[in-house]
Amino acid sequence: QVQLVESGGGLVQAGGSLRLSCPASGSIFSIDRMGWYRQAPGNQRELVATIASFGSTNYANSVKGRFTISRDNAKNTVYLQMNSLKPEDTALYYCNALIKTSRWGSTSAYWGQGTQVTVSS
């Protein structure tokens, strides 16, 4: 069984910063791509940023230059540093990871429960 647990969300004023963390634990053989997604009330879940196992990154246009995704492969953890936060960044932020639980098994997508980020104007 695999678990992803996000932390680091909270309430911050516009222009402020937050750092989200998401360690993966359990029966893990390898982790491929990791990423962050968000969902605001009434909206669909959208991609924020992803990072490949070798470090290649991808960002939504709305967060480029403000957010930075990183990972620590030794700790099976993905991070999201969010700077210059805007009220429109308010959402429930989820981490996602593509994980193999055994050498010969298939890769599956796992999700955390989400951490709330609220940016006040």
Side-chain angles (χ1 to χ4, degrees):
Q1 191 170 358
V2 173
Q3 283 191 319
L4 301 177
V5 180
E6 303 94 338
S7 63
L11 173 63
V12 64
Q13 289 188 331
S17 298
L18 286 174
R19 186 182 191 227
L20 307 183
S21 299
C22 180
S25 62
S27 179
I28 297 172
F29 175 76
S30 64
I31 302 178
D32 192 352
R33 191 182 69 233
M34 304 184 83
W36 291 92
Y37 293 73
R38 68 186 182 187
Q39 186 169 17
N43 291 356
Q44 290 187 332
R45 190 174 299 188
E46 63 177 6
L47 179 146
V48 176
T50 61
I51 183 167
S53 58
F54 49 87
S56 175
T57 59
N58 178 54
Y59 294 93
N61 288 334
S62 59
V63 306
K64 281 181 181 177
R66 300 188 298 121
F67 291 10
T68 301
I69 189 170
S70 61
R71 63 190 286 172
D72 184 334
N73 290 332
K75 296 181 179 180
N76 291 337
T77 300
V78 63
Y79 305 95
L80 186 68
Q81 178 65 46
M82 305 186 293
N83 299 329
S84 302
L85 282 160
K86 304 175 180 180
E88 51 264 43
D89 294 318
T90 295
L92 191 59
Y93 283 70
Y94 298 90
C95 71
N96 166 271
L98 300 181
I99 295 174
K100 289 182 68 174
T101 56
S102 65
R103 178 181 294 273
W104 309 114
S106 60
T107 300
S108 299
Y110 293 86
W111 293 88
Q113 294 298 307
T115 185
Q116 179 67 39
V117 171
T118 303
V119 184
S120 63
S121 57

